[in-house]
Amino acid sequence: KGVQAAGNEVTVFTDADCVVPRTWLETIDRHFTPRVGLVQGITTYWPEPGIHPVFFGLQAVDFLSHGVVAAAAIGAGVPLNSNANNFAFRRKVFENIGGYSSLRSVVSGDDDLLLQRIAETGKWDIRFMVDKNGAVQTAPTPNIKGVLNQRKRWASKTVHYNRSQIMVLSFVFLFYLLIPAALVISAFEASFAVAAVVLASIKVTGELLLMYPGTRLFGQRQLRSYIVPASLVQLPLVLWSVFRGVFGSFSWKGAQFRRRVPSTNREKNG
């Protein structure tokens, strides 16, 4: 409805709980060259009073990692994930792919899928806005229960990705799963403990190589000390979230959902 009501060439999105800089719109506008159909920007957490610094740091690094991965994927020409609280696209691009009409059954993840479908047309460039003047801030999730629920919701949308993306993400999931599996087997065969350490080291090293330049690029160097502990905490979090998000349910905006909207709800909401 908002896109239909908007009259300009470019439609820009953010969330009600976000703060944008005064330079936000003009910075987005500079990235819309004639060939660009969509611009994605970074969103980071502000330090919320009352949240323990360690809990904030771990959560902030994990949240930032999604933006860093999005920027890297767009830069590599294979857009994967997005975030609708700092997001803009050309109206005609949106209309040419049928807008959100084909995504009505998706509870969460319409931003990712819209990004991917625009990329699949091959007609438009997609840009990640690496500019502090276009950065958006939002509040962190206040407690562990909220983080777990949020990650379940995020994981639920990955089943709607295309086949090649699901294969890559499944490979990453299986790699993560090998680490605790090796630890369990090490109780019966000690040599597997070495395998678990090696696999965990590969995970941590890979994320350091990604997140160190990512924290510099987005002005978040103060989070670097949390990269390694966040990488270790993320392992069980990802495994649990994927399983619960794909096969379980999550709460969102005061209601309980599974990964698809029941047909009765789609009809009622028109």
Side-chain angles (χ1 to χ4, degrees), residues 30 47 55 79 130 150-152 162 170-171 186 198 211 217 239 246 260:
R30 285 201 301 271
F55 178 57
V130 183
Q150 184 186 61
R151 298 312 189 265
K152 282 192 295 180
N162 66 44
S170 296
F171 175 79
S186 70
V198 170
M211 291 300 294
L217 198 63
L239 295 174
V246 172
R260 282 189 179 274

Side-chain angles (χ1 to χ4, degrees), residues 47 52 54 61 69 75 160 166 214 258:
H52 193 282
V54 174
V61 165
V69 168
H160 303 292
I166 290 175
R258 299 184 74 83

Side-chain angles (χ1 to χ4, degrees), residues 227-247:
I227 295 175
V228 172
S231 178
L232 298 175
V233 170
Q234 186 205 39
L235 177 62
L237 179 62
V238 166
L239 295 174
W240 181 87
S241 298
V242 169
F243 182 79
R244 290 299 306 274
V246 172
F247 300 106

Side-chain angles (χ1 to χ4, degrees), residues 10 12-13 23-32 39 86-88 129 134:
V10 173
V12 184
F13 282 76
T23 52
W24 185 52
L25 292 178
E26 63 188 70
T27 305
I28 290 173
D29 185 60
R30 285 201 301 271
H31 286 73
F32 271 101
V39 171
N86 195 355
F87 189 64
M129 184 169 51

Side-chain angles (χ1 to χ4, degrees), residues 189-219:
E189 176 56 58
S191 61
F192 277 84
V194 177
V197 171
V198 170
L199 291 170
S201 298
I202 292 172
K203 178 184 186 301
V204 171
T205 301
E207 287 167 2
L208 280 169
L209 291 174
L210 181 69
M211 291 300 294
Y212 245 73
T215 54
R216 173 187 55 77
L217 198 63
F218 296 116

